[in-house]
Amino acid sequence: MKITIHYCTQCQWLLRAGWYAQELLSTFGESLEQVALAPSHGGHFEVLITTDAQSEPEVVWERKRDGGFPDIKELKRRVRDRLDPERDLGHIDR
């Protein structure tokens, strides 16, 4: 499973995107094949998940559609629900 985080370079969102990537890697570790940062522009911020080589990426979070940036707990829940719905995220789930 791969995660791609598109972030706007004009808006200086690299640090935010990097922090999300770090948090996802810390939580899901080797369950993820890759977490990639993809520079973009025009206020674009989007988190995509690709389950396998044959599938199209699925939007986990899109800044304009979802009303801003995700709370890290919500982002982790959404990734978990696609990666391993039975997985317990500990205090995040409470």
Side-chain angles (χ1 to χ4, degrees), residues 8-43:
C8 178
T9 57
Q10 297 165 319
C11 302
Q12 304 290 316
W13 290 340
L14 173 59
L15 288 177
R16 180 187 303 267
W19 179 73
Y20 284 127
Q22 177 183 336
E23 285 291 319
L24 292 172
L25 286 167
S26 293
T27 299
F28 299 105
E30 292 181 9
S31 297
L32 297 173
E33 182 180 335
Q34 177 184 64
V35 176
L37 300 178
S40 190
H41 60 279

Side-chain angles (χ1 to χ4, degrees), residues 8-9 11 18 21-22 26 28 35 39-40 44-46 50-51 57 60 64 67 71 75-76 81 86 90:
C8 178
T9 57
C11 302
Q22 177 183 336
S26 293
F28 299 105
V35 176
S40 190
H44 186 215
F45 186 89
E46 183 175 53
T50 307
T51 54
V60 175
K64 291 178 184 174
D71 176 77
L75 183 59
K76 287 180 180 183
D81 290 348
E86 301 299 316

